Amino acid sequence: MKSEIILIGPIGSGKSTIAELISMKTGLPRRSMDELRWKYYDEMGYDRDLARHHYQREGCWGIYRYWKSFEAYAVRRLLSDHDNCVIDFGAGNTVYEDDRLFHQVHETLTPYPYIVLLLPSPDPQESLQILNARTDAAADGRDSINEHLICHPSNYALAKFTVYTKNKTPEETCDEILTWVQSQE
């Protein structure tokens, strides 16, 4: 059985902060997809000029669409390279409009029992309002990307546990996750 704790969720949901806290409390190393993804993207022939072109022409949505196949590959590669750790995925690493890519990621994540979705609230509109207040998400269409990430069914299908963070400190959220993990062992 896999022992990694994987945190997923939209932009600004607290994945990095909570992963760092879990790492400190458990002694498990932290691995961040946002930091490690570039070498995996490069393995697939990532074209930075083409990415820049997509971003300049279409903003965040353009780069979001361009990254999809790279993100699915990065999920598989990161999990094959790292074990017994806490992993915070990027916001888009678990949301796929392409069923083929979603099934690849779903198959990759199936053996991992501790996949935690972080959301501010069970109410999608309230979650979006809270996340927009936390980040500069309204810049360049990222608010609509976050709305998409919140409403799309992928995260809900992949998560084994959802934690709502509204009115909780990061430490309380961390403790809730660790209590759940211990209850599953």
Side-chain angles (χ1 to χ4, degrees):
M1 169 120 79
K2 303 288 187 177
S3 61
E4 293 72 16
I5 299 171
I6 300 170
L7 303 178
I8 64 175
I11 300 166
S13 61
K15 299 177 297 293
S16 299
T17 300
I18 303 304
E20 187 63 33
L21 287 171
I22 292 172
S23 175
M24 290 182 342
K25 286 190 174 203
T26 63
L28 293 171
R30 175 181 167 233
R31 302 292 179 250
S32 175
M33 179 66 83
D34 284 344
E35 295 169 11
L36 299 170
R37 66 183 167 165
W38 300 111
K39 73 177 185 176
Y40 303 129
Y41 285 20
D42 288 341
E43 289 174 4
M44 275 192 67
Y46 183 73
D47 184 330
R48 284 167 177 71
D49 290 331
L50 183 57
R52 194 172 10 266
H53 174 74
H54 281 293
Y55 183 75
Q56 290 168 344
R57 277 191 53 214
E58 306 164 68
C60 282
W61 281 105
I63 197 74
Y64 172 84
R65 285 189 289 274
Y66 179 65
W67 280 351
K68 286 291 108 182
S69 62
F70 298 100
E71 289 177 333
Y73 178 80
V75 166
R76 187 171 33 114
R77 288 290 288 118
L78 183 132
L79 292 173
S80 71
D81 283 354
H82 302 282
D83 58 10
N84 202 27
C85 57
V86 181
I87 302 170
D88 51 291
F89 277 8
N93 288 118
T94 50
V95 175
Y96 295 91
E97 297 72 30
D98 180 324
D99 287 341
R100 180 183 55 82
L101 291 175
F102 174 76
H103 289 298
Q104 285 176 12
V105 171
H106 185 270
E107 186 176 293
T108 299
L109 290 174
T110 295
Y112 294 86
Y114 310 125
I115 302 172
V116 180
L117 172 59
L118 296 176
L119 290 171
S121 166
D123 175 5
Q125 285 307 311
E126 183 179 35
S127 284
L128 184 60
Q129 290 171 349
I130 291 168
L131 294 173
N132 284 348
R134 284 184 192 166
T135 67
D136 64 348
D140 194 27
R142 283 181 274 169
D143 59 337
S144 61
I145 286 179
N146 240 2
E147 182 173 21
H148 178 69
L149 297 172
I150 292 167
C151 294
H152 197 278
S154 290
N155 275 329
Y156 304 96
L158 295 171
K160 312 276 171 82
F161 185 58
T162 301
V163 175
Y164 300 108
T165 60
K166 179 182 171 189
N167 298 325
K168 293 179 189 167
T169 66
E171 291 78 12
E172 290 170 328
T173 300
C174 174
D175 290 344
E176 183 176 345
I177 292 167
L178 291 176
T179 299
W180 172 73
V181 167
Q182 289 169 349
S183 76
Q184 301 301 302
E185 295 176 338

